[in-house]
Structure formats: C-alpha cells, structure tokens
C-alpha cells in the first residue's frame, strides 16, 4: 500500500491495548524506498488523549493514568511545522522541526514500534524514549525518566524489551555522529507547496484499528 504526494493521511499512536492515543493529520510529501515523508503544518488538526476536563495526559505518571478517566479531544498542532520520515520497518521516525517562519531548528528521533499501514495512514506505538538533535548534530536523550517508569510495567514493555529499544536509539545516534542521512543537512531548507493548507482530520480518523502494532522491536 502506497500513498500519493499531496494526499492527507493519518499518523496514529496506538496504545498496547488497542486504544488510540493520538491522531495527527499530515500531508504526504513522498512515499518511496526511504519511507513515508509527511508534512504537518502549524494549525493542522490533531486528536490528543486528555482528561475529561481537557487536560493533556502526555506527562501523566503510570499511576495517574491508571485512575484518571481519559478521552480523545480535538486540538491544533501549534508553534512549529514538522517534516516526518517514517522509514519502512524501522523502530523510529525522524522529525525535522521548523519554526513559524520556516527556519529549521533541529531533528527529533521518536522511538516507536515499526509502523503498520492501512488505507487511511499509519499506526504505531510510541516507546517514550526519544533523542533531540540540534542543527550542529549535538544531541541528548529525552524522557529517560518516563521510559524508566514504564519499563517492567505490564501495560508497556518488559525489562528485556527495554534494552533493544535503547539499542535502536544508539543505532540512530551513530548516524547522527557520522553526519549520515538524514542528518547530513538534507531537507533542512524544505519548503512546502505554497498551496498546502494546514491538514484536517478525515471522517475516518478513528476508524477501527485493523490490528495491534507490531512487536516493540525487530
């Protein structure tokens, strides 16, 4: 299954129990051997998991998430524009961040399960641990405390699975430090089509999840 340039697709984060954690509308830039490249402009529609009062639960602890009722709430991507690359079969995606004026200011490596395609886009499960990479390719891990809190918890991943998750990040770090693609300056001056408006969620954004995402690591 492939997608066409200009098409609106969904990037959905699916919890291990099958619930949708978030859904983002994105514009397809390219879909080829390197992976699915999409663009999410400031103002694009998203769905976030929140409390019943509308507070986002992204930073809630495991204990809080176990007792607080949540729901999906509509929102807008704000403050930045993002180019996303989801390589086929990889346990990560790479995001180019641009400010409101279109100036590139860093890469974000999101560790996640290999994505599963369906007619409306791609589904994956976020693995919490991430890497921030500055334009000079200096980098640092992100969310290590959350990753540690979830490791060994039955709703997330085992101690045995945690090691290959971090190893996936270390493989990407080797590319960062070598200045290899995609950390070689490619697309840091990307400009979207001038006619592209912020993307909107299609009617099937919450379409039944066809299957749970693949295993945490290859």
């Amino acid at each position: 299954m492939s997608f066409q340039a200009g098409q609106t697709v969904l990037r959905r984060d699916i919890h291990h129990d099958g619930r949708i954690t978030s859904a983002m509308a994105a514009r397809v830039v390219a879909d080829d051997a390197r992976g699915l490249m999409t663009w999410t402009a400031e103002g694009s529609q998203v769905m976030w998991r929140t409390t019943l009062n509308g507070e986002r639960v992204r930073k809630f602890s495991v204990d809080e998430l176990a007792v607080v009722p949540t729901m999906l709430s509509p929102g807008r991507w704000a403050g930045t524009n993002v180019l996303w690359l989801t390589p086929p079969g990889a346990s990560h995606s790479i995001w180019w961040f641009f400010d409101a004026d279109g100036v590139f200011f860093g890469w974000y490596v999101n560790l996640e399960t290999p994505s599963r395609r369906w007619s409306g886009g791609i589904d994956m499960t976020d693995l919490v641990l991430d890497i921030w990479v500055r334009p000079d390719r200096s980098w640092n891990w992100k969310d290590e405390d959350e990753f540690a809190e979830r490791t060994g918890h039955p709703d997330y991943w085992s101690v045995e699975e945690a090691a290959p998750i971090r190893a996936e990040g270390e493989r990407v770090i080797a590319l960062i430090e070598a200045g290899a693609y995609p950390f070689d300056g490619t697309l840091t001056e990307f400009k979207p089509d001038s006619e592209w408006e912020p993307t909107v969620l299609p009617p099937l954004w919450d379409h039944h999840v066809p299957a749970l995402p693949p295993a945490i690591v290859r």
Side-chain angles (χ1 to χ4, degrees):
M1 182 184 301
S2 60
F3 301 110
Q4 302 301 311
Q7 179 181 353
T8 295
V9 295
L10 291 162
R11 176 181 168 84
R12 301 194 304 187
D13 180 6
I14 310 298
H15 193 273
H16 297 297
D17 64 8
R19 291 179 301 157
I20 298 173
T21 299
S22 66
M24 302 181 183
R27 187 92 56 183
V28 175
V29 175
D31 190 12
D32 53 30
R34 283 183 161 173
L36 177 62
M37 181 80 70
T38 60
W39 174 255
T40 297
E42 183 174 18
S44 294
Q45 291 182 342
V46 300
M47 296 294 289
W48 308 115
R49 190 157 287 279
T50 72
T51 66
L52 302 188
N53 293 324
E55 180 185 359
R56 284 194 63 188
V57 300
R58 170 66 182 82
K59 294 293 185 179
F60 277 30
S61 69
V62 170
D63 289 342
E64 289 173 316
L65 290 172
V67 298
V68 175
T70 66
M71 64 181 182
L72 286 166
S73 299
R76 299 275 180 175
W77 189 265
T80 62
N81 302 282
V82 186
L83 189 66
W84 319 66
L85 173 64
T86 305
S91 296
H92 68 271
S93 61
I94 299 170
W95 312 359
W96 286 251
F97 271 93
F98 299 84
D99 66 18
D101 296 323
V103 177
F104 171 75
F105 66 94
W107 296 272
Y108 191 88
V109 180
N110 196 65
L111 298 181
E112 58 195 44
T113 59
S115 61
R116 187 185 299 278
R117 293 187 177 216
W118 60 288
S119 60
I122 58 174
D123 290 345
M124 56 81 195
T125 297
D126 186 78
L127 298 175
V128 176
L129 189 62
D130 304 305
I131 305 164
W132 175 248
V133 188
R134 300 166 193 84
D136 65 0
R137 295 197 301 276
S138 60
W139 59 270
N140 60 273
W141 292 103
K142 287 183 59 63
D143 302 323
E144 290 187 284
D145 53 344
E146 293 177 49
F147 182 70
E149 180 193 33
R150 285 160 172 73
T151 296
H153 191 282
D155 287 344
Y156 296 92
W157 44 84
S158 67
V159 172
E160 292 74 19
E161 289 169 321
I165 292 172
R166 184 175 287 272
E168 177 77 359
E170 291 169 347
R171 284 192 288 272
V172 180
I173 288 168
L175 298 177
I176 296 165
E177 294 182 338
Y181 179 85
F183 306 101
D184 57 355
T186 299
L187 298 172
T188 56
E189 297 184 1
F190 176 80
K191 302 297 180 186
D193 189 307
S194 60
E195 296 184 358
W196 286 358
E197 298 290 336
T199 38
V200 299
L201 290 165
L204 47 60
W205 72 267
D206 60 347
H207 189 275
H208 175 69
V209 178
L212 293 182
I216 284 176
V217 292
R218 295 189 301 273

